């Protein structure tokens, strides 16, 4: 019985500063499902668990009305866990297979390679339009759990909130860290880091994920992160809700969500601007080029969404478009 949270799929290859970066489009963490069940209790209060429960119930109700059966959604042991985006969830089978991403209203379904709406229109689920994906992407950026990400500021911070997917065992990430440190006096930018390992926990990744957990558990995770890249040392282990398993889960579920809304490509490192669009990485990232690419003058503003995709569900009914929005 597999304990993989995500199945392996076709790989893509990217390059940064001469380093080959290869990450499977659907790969992700491998904590056993029992760990995830414990995680749901650690990560959320009673209301958070209730929100997770209503998300699955609302999705089930919308699918029933549409006359659609989603394999494994009603299987024994299915668990719904919150992502590092308020209002987004991952639903998994007891043996760790992804069933669906969804929102609390249960009007979104998909495994990450594509998303569809259900319950907002008569009939079966429909693939989300580019406009709908853009709306959802904007809401996701506004509802990221920034307080759970590692915050690293350069210069005066500059008011920027750039999301970075990075890994402790990634040579290209090491090079990027060096480039950013050199550019620090010019950049005036803050990065929020989603940190993980390029290795699955079933393939030698646990020691690296343990390092991620120790860094995130530190009183000053941003400083601990920079210290790690300076001399490869990590803080001592301490009692903390973040474990190697939960760090892996956090990283790959968020990665899958951002792929689903077309914010990133399947590569590490990856940067995402304030409006949810990917930021290009290129060779020869001098301090001047880094400041020009990631400095405050390049900050983009997210558009106001017209549909409340991540709004709290009311009375277990699917969310409806906000005034002026259309059910597409």
């Amino acid at each position: 019985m597999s304990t993989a949270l995500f199945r392996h799929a076709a790989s893509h290859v990217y390059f940064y500063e001469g380093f080959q970066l290869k990450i499977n489009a659907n790969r992700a963490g491998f904590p056993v499902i029992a760990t995830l069940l414990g995680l749901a209790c650690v990560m959320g209060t009673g209301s958070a668990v209730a929100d997770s429960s209503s998300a699955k119930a609302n999705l089930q109700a919308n699918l029933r009305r549409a006359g659609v059966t989603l394999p494994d959604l009603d299987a024994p042991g299915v668990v719904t866990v919150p992502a590092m985006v308020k209002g987004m969830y991952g639903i998994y089978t007891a043996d760790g297979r992804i069933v669906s991403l969804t929102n609390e209203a249960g009007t979104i379904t998909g495994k990450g390679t594509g998303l569809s709406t259900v319950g907002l229109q008569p009939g079966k689920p429909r693939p989300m339009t580019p406009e709908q994906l853009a709306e959802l992407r904007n809401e996701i950026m506004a509802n990221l759990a920034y307080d759970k990400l590692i915050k690293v500021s350069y210069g005066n911070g500059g008011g920027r909130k750039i999301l970075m997917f990075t890994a402790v065992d990634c040579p290209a990430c090491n090079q990027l860290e060096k480039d950013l440190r050199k550019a620090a006096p010019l950049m005036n930018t803050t990065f929020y880091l989603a940190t993980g390992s390029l290795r699955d926990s079933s393939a030698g990744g646990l020691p690296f994920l343990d390092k991620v957990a120790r860094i995130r558990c530190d009183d000053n995770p941003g400083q601990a992160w920079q210290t790690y890249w300076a001399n490869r040392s990590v803080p001592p282990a301490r009692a903390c809700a973040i474990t190697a398993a939960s760090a892996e889960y956090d990283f790959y579920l968020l990665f899958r969500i951002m792929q689903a809304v077309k914010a990133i490509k399947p590569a590490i490192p990856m940067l995402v601007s304030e409006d949810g669009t990917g930021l290009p990485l290129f060779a020869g990232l001098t301090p001047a080029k880094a400041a020009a690419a990631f400095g405050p003058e390049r900050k983009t503003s997210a558009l106001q969404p017209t549909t409340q995709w991540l709004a709290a569900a009311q009375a277990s009914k699917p969310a409806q478009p906000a005034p002026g929005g259309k059910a597409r």
Side-chain angles (χ1 to χ4, degrees), residues 214 217-218 234-238:
R214 292 188 184 197
C217 287
D218 191 70
V234 295
R238 59 187 296 184

Side-chain angles (χ1 to χ4, degrees), residues 150 163-170 172-174 176-177 192-198 212 225 229 251 255 267-271:
I150 296 175
L163 173 64
M164 179 194 296
F165 287 93
T166 183
V168 294
D169 52 348
C170 165
C173 301
N174 180 30
L176 178 58
E177 290 291 334
Y192 290 82
L193 314 182
T195 52
S197 168
L198 294 183
V212 172
W225 176 259
W229 289 109
F251 179 71
F255 195 94
I268 299 294
M270 185 62 60
L271 305 182

Side-chain angles (χ1 to χ4, degrees), residues 92-112:
Y92 303 98
T93 62
D95 63 350
R97 288 174 290 113
I98 182 73
V99 177
S100 183
L101 300 174
T102 195
N103 55 343
E104 189 183 333
T107 55
I108 296 173
T109 185
K111 295 185 177 182

Side-chain angles (χ1 to χ4, degrees), residues 19-71:
F19 294 104
Q20 179 175 315
L21 313 176
K22 187 176 182 181
I23 184 167
N24 289 304
N26 284 327
R27 65 155 284 186
F30 285 75
V32 294
I33 202 67
T35 304
L36 280 180
L37 286 167
L39 253 177
C41 297
V42 171
M43 293 175 61
T45 61
S47 64
V49 174
D51 292 344
S52 299
S53 176
S54 64
K56 178 175 177 284
N58 289 335
L59 179 60
Q60 287 174 313
N62 285 327
L63 290 170
R64 278 197 301 269
R65 282 191 287 268
V68 174
T69 299
L70 190 63

